[in-house]
Amino acid sequence: MLKYNNVHCTGRVQYIRYFRNNNSLLIVLSLYEPKWGGDRYADYPNIYMEGEMAEKYRSRIKRGDYLTVIGYVEEKEIMTNIGNDLFRRTVGPVIIPYTDMVFEDFGHENVNIVHAAGTVTRVYKNPDQGKKFYIINLRTQVEVDGEKKDAVLRATHFDLDMALEPQVGDYLVFSGTMRTKNNTDDNGRPYKLSSIVAKSVSIIRKEE
């Protein structure tokens, strides 16, 4: 079965920070999508670069720029900004751009799309009334600089009927978006929790 993992995001740079100790660059994009009633969703996906790519863009990109990124999503432990130049070590989905797939001022229309397919490695099921969802770990595959590698991501799928019933070993395909939720840590400090929401989902059951 084909395994893949692609993300396309366009938004305005909300925050940028270069970490000299490991030569990495963290960029937070702000994405806005309209919803019913005239309000808008606000999402803040994390873009992560290392090495030559971090060096290339750390002085070229500034807050307020529009940026388009095409890459893949992977669960990764990084230092994320929680406000006032304070950082919190978190594990969550980060967007890792493909080489030469970062475009400056390419367009101003917000884009937030994730497509992925792979093998289910873990499932958490929450059947509680009003909060019915699955959290699914998926092993996908990406090609980076000509070499294939596994990339694991975690996606949430809301299911009012809890009819999907994904199982470890199933082949799953989804399209969805990067989402951000406001949260607080044990000390009451606010931070933003990133996740992937899988909207359209198809499954091929594993062979018994």
Side-chain angles (χ1 to χ4, degrees), residues 6-9 68-72 95-99 101-103:
N6 293 302
V7 60
H8 174 186
C9 282
T68 293
V69 176
I70 298 173
Y72 64 95
I95 299 171
I96 301 175
Y98 291 124
T99 303
M101 287 288 108
V102 177
F103 304 98

Side-chain angles (χ1 to χ4, degrees), residues 11-84:
R12 178 169 276 178
V13 175
Q14 178 81 11
Y15 183 87
I16 183 167
R17 174 69 180 263
Y18 175 69
F19 295 93
R20 193 177 300 277
N21 62 324
N22 63 352
N23 193 20
S24 66
L25 187 67
L26 172 68
I27 300 171
V28 180
L29 289 186
S30 59
L31 308 176
Y32 295 94
E33 296 181 46
K35 63 179 181 178
W36 293 109
D39 292 333
R40 297 187 298 173
Y41 293 105
D43 294 300
Y44 303 92
N46 294 307
I47 317 297
Y48 183 77
M49 305 178 190
E50 292 180 327
E52 291 183 4
M53 189 179 293
E55 287 281 356
K56 178 180 179 180
Y57 289 105
R58 71 187 182 105
S59 58
R60 285 175 51 172
I61 297 171
K62 62 183 183 299
R63 185 177 180 183
D65 288 351
Y66 276 91
L67 203 66
T68 293
V69 176
I70 298 173
Y72 64 95
V73 188
E74 188 171 27
E75 291 288 314
K76 196 173 185 69
E77 183 180 72
I78 62 171
M79 299 296 289
T80 55
N81 177 246
I82 60 174
N84 297 323

Side-chain angles (χ1 to χ4, degrees), residues 159-185:
D159 188 348
L160 293 177
D161 299 320
M162 298 303 286
L164 186 67
E165 291 292 349
Q167 304 293 326
V168 172
D170 288 347
Y171 176 79
L172 185 142
V173 182
F174 78 83
S175 62
T177 58
M178 305 290 292
R179 284 288 180 234
T180 306
K181 178 182 178 182
N182 292 324
N183 212 337
T184 55
D185 63 18

Side-chain angles (χ1 to χ4, degrees), residues 76-195:
K76 196 173 185 69
E77 183 180 72
I78 62 171
M79 299 296 289
T80 55
N81 177 246
I82 60 174
N84 297 323
D85 218 29
L86 298 175
F87 289 82
R88 181 179 187 269
R89 188 174 296 279
T90 61
V91 177
V94 297
I95 299 171
I96 301 175
Y98 291 124
T99 303
D100 298 326
M101 287 288 108
V102 177
F103 304 98
E104 300 159 77
D105 207 28
F106 185 74
H108 293 183
E109 183 175 348
N110 287 183
V111 179
N112 184 355
I113 302 171
V114 180
H115 295 294
T119 303
V120 176
T121 60
R122 187 176 181 181
V123 178
Y124 170 77
K125 180 179 179 180
N126 186 351
D128 295 343
Q129 191 65 34
K131 297 181 180 179
K132 297 184 177 183
F133 62 86
Y134 299 96
I135 298 177
I136 304 164
N137 284 23
L138 198 66
R139 181 182 294 113
T140 68
Q141 195 170 72
V142 298
E143 186 171 321
V144 181
D145 297 331
E147 295 186 5
K148 291 185 177 180
K149 59 167 278 189
D150 286 344
V152 176
L153 60 81
R154 181 180 298 121
T156 301
H157 176 63
F158 295 93
D159 188 348
L160 293 177
D161 299 320
M162 298 303 286
L164 186 67
E165 291 292 349
Q167 304 293 326
V168 172
D170 288 347
Y171 176 79
L172 185 142
V173 182
F174 78 83
S175 62
T177 58
M178 305 290 292
R179 284 288 180 234
T180 306
K181 178 182 178 182
N182 292 324
N183 212 337
T184 55
D185 63 18
D186 295 337
N187 296 316
R189 292 178 299 191
Y191 69 96
K192 298 185 185 301
L193 182 66
S194 296
S195 65

